[in-house]
Structures are given as structure tokens and as C-alpha cells.
């Protein structure tokens, strides 16, 4: 009788150990799933960086940030696993906020890169004919400088956080009679009409984008 009791106690102990073991692994796998697999990019949607991120990652993983620094902060604080940011353009040169953040965030590494051809377009709300200001990312304004200098020399140029942010702003402020320099995707998304295509000074304009992640 005593022997039978001992056997069932051992059995119960084994069972408890197995249950504890399974719970531990289940907990670990849950933690793994809840760690964000998301990838940040310089947005809003329709930016060149969005196009670059879409070449490397599925659309459902992409979340936009409003600045390059915010992309680095999201990786640093583990809100996302990776981020895509621009590094260098063949006309405009190094993208300063990226270079600065790479120096500042010692825990972040470059894990991959890709290069895209960049074609800039001037776009307005359909019906706008007297452009008062031209909005875009500093790199895009630099890439299109000759075009603006020759066609709109007196029109002020306003720097924006990205080409798509500029397109979005122009589309939401018809009273400003602004034009944006951005890509064809942004024109579609924000319902703007392209009035000049390929306005960058070098038809072979290219930008290198990097994928950053945490070193740990
Ligand atoms: O503004 C955008 O759409 C971006 O993705 C940024 C950026 C850049 O910083 O170089 C990317 C590609 C083009 O060269 C112009 C702007």
C-alpha cells in the first residue's frame, strides 16, 4: 500500500515538473512573439524611404516615423526591431541627420543597405496655377535646384521632414497655393497633380538607404 502511495507521489511530482517546464517555454515563446517585429521608416507613407523599406520588408511590418532621429529612437528603445533611413544621395551628398544619429546612438549598427534611383516631380493640387511656395525635403530641394532656379527663381523654398510630408501638407492646405517635390507614389496618395517630371539635375540620381538594428 505504502509502495503504491510512493509511486503516485513520484508520478505527481513528475507531472508537476513537466507542467512547470511547459509553462516556462510557453512564457518564453509569448515574450518572443510580443517583441515587436516592426520596421520603422522615415514617413509618412509615400516617402522614398517608404519605397526602399517596401523592397526589403512586407508592408504589414512597416510603421512610419516623422523624423530620422525618431527612427533611431524607436530602434534604441526596442519599439521596433529595425528601421530604414536614407544615408547618402549622389547629388545632395550625405544625409546629415542620419550621419549625426549614427555617431550618437552607439548601440545601433548598420546591418544592410540598398540603393534606389530617385526621380523628383513637382506637384500641386489640381487647378493651382500660381505657385507661392515650394515644399520638400532639403535633399530633394538640393537635387532640383537648377530646375527651381530656372522656372521659379523668386518662389520661396520651404524645407520639410520628408518629400511625402511636404506632399501631404500641400494637399491639406489649398489656400497656401503650394507645390511639393516628391515621388509619383506620394502624388497618387495625396491626390496631387504632377506638373513636371524628372526635375532633378542628374537623371542618374540615386540614394543609398540603410537598415539599422540594435547591436545587442
Ligand atoms: O523625403 C523622402 O522621401 C525621403 O525618404 C528622404 C530622402 C533623403 O533624405 O535623401 C530620400 C531620398 C531622396 O534623396 C530625397 C529625400
Amino acid at each position: 500500500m505504502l509502495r503504491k502511495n510512493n509511486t503516485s507521489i513520484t508520478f505527481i511530482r513528475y507531472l508537476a515538473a513537466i507542467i512547470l517546464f511547459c509553462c516556462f517555454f510557453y512564457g518564453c515563446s509569448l515574450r518572443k512573439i510580443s517583441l515587436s517585429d516592426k520596421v520603422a521608416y522615415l514617413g509618412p507613407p509615400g516617402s522614398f524611404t517608404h519605397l526602399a523599406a517596401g523592397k526589403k520588408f512586407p508592408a504589414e511590418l512597416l510603421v512610419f516615423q516623422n523624423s530620422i532621429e525618431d527612427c533611431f529612437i524607436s530602434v534604441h528603445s526596442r519599439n521596433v526591431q529595425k528601421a530604414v533611413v536614407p544615408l547618402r544621395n549622389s547629388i545632395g551628398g550625405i544625409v546629415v541627420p542620419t550621419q549625426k544619429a549614427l555617431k550618437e546612438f552607439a548601440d545601433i549598427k548598420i546591418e544592410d543597405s540598398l540603393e534606389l534611383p530617385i526621380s523628383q516631380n513637382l506637384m500641386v493640387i489640381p487647378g493651382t496655377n500660381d505657385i507661392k511656395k515650394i515644399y520638400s525635403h532639403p535633399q530633394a530641394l538640393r537635387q532640383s535646384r537648377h530646375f527651381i532656379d530656372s522656372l521659379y527663381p523668386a518662389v520661396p523654398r520651404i524645407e520639410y521632414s520628408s518629400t511625402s510630408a511636404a506632399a501631404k501638407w500641400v494637399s491639406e492646405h489649398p489656400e497656401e497655393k503650394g507645390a511639393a517635390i516628391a515621388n509619383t507614389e506620394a502624388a497618387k496618395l495625396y491626390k496631387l497633380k504632377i506638373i513636371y517630371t524628372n526635375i532633378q539635375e542628374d537623371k542618374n540620381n540615386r540614394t543609398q538607404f540603410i537598415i539599422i538594428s540594435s547591436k545587442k
Side-chain angles (χ1 to χ4, degrees), residues 42 47-49 86 89 95 118 120 137 139 143 162-163 207 209:
L42 170 66
S47 65
F48 286 101
T49 312
N89 172 264
V95 178
I118 303 289
Q120 303 289 7
H137 186 276
Q139 280 279 355
Q143 292 160 24
S162 72
T163 56
T207 295
F209 298 86

Side-chain angles (χ1 to χ4, degrees), residues 193-210:
K193 186 181 171 206
I194 294 179
I195 50 173
Y196 290 100
T197 58
N198 261 323
I199 62 171
Q200 73 283 355
E201 56 191 68
D202 176 4
K203 301 303 164 215
N204 259 333
N205 188 22
R206 298 185 76 78
T207 295
Q208 183 192 13
F209 298 86
I210 51 173

Side-chain angles (χ1 to χ4, degrees), residues 91-111:
I91 303 172
I94 200 85
V95 178
V96 177
T98 302
Q99 192 190 36
K100 221 176 125 214
L102 281 171
K103 282 189 191 142
E104 218 169 278
F105 291 83
D107 60 325
I108 288 177
K109 66 173 192 287
I110 300 176
E111 68 163 47

Side-chain angles (χ1 to χ4, degrees), residues 13-209:
R13 277 192 183 142
Y14 268 122
L15 201 64
I18 289 170
I19 291 170
L20 272 174
F21 191 72
C22 291
C23 285
F24 175 73
F25 273 99
Y26 183 58
C28 286
S29 64
L30 272 187
R31 255 182 45 217
K32 206 168 172 186
I33 290 167
S34 71
L35 261 181
S36 181
D37 288 331
K38 299 277 181 188
V39 178
Y41 67 92
L42 170 66
S47 65
F48 286 101
T49 312
H50 189 197
L51 298 182
K55 302 254 175 232
K56 288 276 181 184
F57 303 100
E60 60 273 20
L61 291 187
L62 304 180
V63 284
F64 80 82
Q65 297 293 330
N66 288 318
S67 70
I68 289 174
E69 197 188 5
D70 285 347
C71 290
F72 276 79
I73 291 171
S74 325
V75 174
H76 170 77
S77 57
R78 308 291 178 96
N79 285 337
V80 298
Q81 223 166 58
K82 300 164 200 270
V84 183
V85 290
L87 178 68
R88 191 178 294 112
N89 172 264
S90 54
I91 303 172
I94 200 85
V95 178
V96 177
T98 302
Q99 192 190 36
K100 221 176 125 214
L102 281 171
K103 282 189 191 142
E104 218 169 278
F105 291 83
D107 60 325
I108 288 177
K109 66 173 192 287
I110 300 176
E111 68 163 47
D112 199 1
S113 75
L114 78 154
E115 213 178 86
L116 285 191
I118 303 289
S119 170
Q120 303 289 7
N121 308 277
L122 190 72
M123 54 193 74
V124 292
I125 293 177
T128 309
N129 39 36
D130 181 20
I131 294 171
K132 300 278 185 227
K133 283 174 189 163
I134 297 178
Y135 299 82
S136 200
H137 186 276
Q139 280 279 355
L141 289 168
R142 221 171 292 153
Q143 292 160 24
S144 315
R145 205 183 61 217
H146 289 174
F147 167 85
I148 309 173
D149 283 350
S150 55
L151 260 83
Y152 301 98
V155 174
R157 295 147 211 211
I158 315 289
E159 294 189 352
Y160 246 75
S161 53
S162 72
T163 56
S164 54
K168 186 167 184 288
W169 195 89
V170 164
S171 75
E172 289 167 354
H173 296 84
E175 72 288 355
E176 296 289 331
K177 296 192 167 191
I181 297 174
N183 63 43
T184 51
E185 199 54 41
K188 258 187 250 155
L189 265 175
Y190 303 111
K191 301 190 171 45
L192 295 176
K193 186 181 171 206
I194 294 179
I195 50 173
Y196 290 100
T197 58
N198 261 323
I199 62 171
Q200 73 283 355
E201 56 191 68
D202 176 4
K203 301 303 164 215
N204 259 333
N205 188 22
R206 298 185 76 78
T207 295
Q208 183 192 13
F209 298 86

